[in-house]
Amino acid sequence: MTLLDKILSHNEKFVANKEFERYKTTKFPNKKVVILSCMDTRLSDLLPVAMNVKHGDAKIIKNAGAVISHPFGSIMRSILLAVYELNADEVMVVGHHNCGMSSLEPDHILTKAVERGIDRKTIETLQYSGVDMDSFLTGFTVVEDSVRHSVELIANHPLIPKDVSIHGLVICPETGALELIINGYAKKSTT
Ligand SMILES: [Zn+2]
């Protein structure tokens, strides 16, 4: 049985047994918060439990590294949607220690791509046509700096209203301990 088959067969039972009933909520986050974090599997359950974020409490956006690569990309759009359409009035960027994005090396990934059958010419063509592989496939060195950068990017975004608090945190993927990097309330009162 493939993983997909297993998921589909589990799902049939899940729906038939009405197990979904205890997850009833609305699309509006109860705690009026949007959280941007990393897709790391160690955080799947740990992060919400460690932050006391229950089902229905928050809009949670995840990618590799909790990074915003582009001010007009899909992550920023999701944050704007959460703010304007879903009543979120706080944003929390939550990076984590030992993140895979902190050791990302473009050459390493491209070598693996070639090993997996991607033609080197394809990569060269992309580079010649203006794709900057180095910045596309680069992560960050220090997670605290990356969180700070994302918080600044959101806070200074031309479409983010000034009454939204933008916080920055780093979570330990083993213990769930949070470290406050930027307190968005304090920042708001000084500006
Ligand atoms: Zn990560």
Side-chain angles (χ1 to χ4, degrees):
M1 209 185 214
T2 65
L3 175 62
L4 180 61
D5 288 337
K6 283 179 191 163
I7 288 175
L8 291 174
S9 112
H10 164 86
N11 183 255
E12 259 178 50
K13 285 179 222 141
F14 177 87
V15 176
N17 297 338
K18 298 195 173 173
E19 288 179 52
F20 53 83
E21 281 181 346
R22 65 182 137 133
Y23 297 101
K24 262 191 189 136
T25 184
T26 72
K27 63 179 183 175
F28 299 101
N30 297 329
K31 291 192 173 170
K32 297 191 173 188
V33 64
V34 51
I35 296 171
L36 168 61
S37 192
C38 181
M39 66 182 190
D40 196 301
T41 45
R42 293 170 294 178
L43 301 180
S44 301
D45 281 350
L46 182 70
L47 180 136
V49 172
M51 295 179 72
N52 194 27
V53 169
K54 301 221 161 42
H55 182 69
D57 276 352
K59 302 312 269 191
I60 300 182
I61 306 165
K62 290 194 162 192
N63 69 5
V67 167
I68 304 175
S69 305
H70 198 285
F72 293 95
S74 62
I75 297 288
M76 199 56 226
R77 180 174 55 220
S78 304
I79 292 171
L80 289 167
L81 248 163
V83 167
Y84 285 112
E85 298 287 356
L86 303 162
N87 303 340
D89 53 21
E90 305 199 34
V91 182
M92 296 185 184
V93 178
V94 187
H96 70 100
H97 296 298
N98 307 319
C99 184
M101 281 293 274
S102 63
S103 54
L104 204 61
E105 280 178 32
D107 286 349
H108 184 67
I109 292 181
L110 293 176
T111 303
K112 280 192 169 177
V114 170
E115 284 167 10
R116 293 282 294 274
I118 308 299
D119 195 333
R120 229 174 245 289
K121 278 190 187 138
T122 303
I123 296 168
E124 282 164 16
T125 307
L126 286 169
Q127 283 165 330
Y128 287 137
S129 59
V131 177
D132 182 351
M133 288 291 180
D134 278 345
S135 61
F136 177 55
L137 295 173
T138 297
F140 49 79
T141 319
V142 180
V143 66
E144 288 85 352
D145 291 346
S146 170
V147 166
R148 260 186 224 106
H149 177 261
S150 295
V151 168
E152 292 299 323
L153 192 148
I154 301 166
N156 296 318
H157 196 280
L159 296 177
I160 279 284
K162 293 295 168 212
D163 57 357
V164 174
S165 300
I166 324 289
H167 314 285
L169 302 106
V170 171
I171 191 166
C172 168
E174 279 90 38
T175 66
L178 286 169
E179 188 188 329
L180 183 62
I181 307 298
I182 291 181
N183 178 333
Y185 306 131
K187 213 172 163 65
K188 234 172 42 175
S189 63
T190 58
T191 52

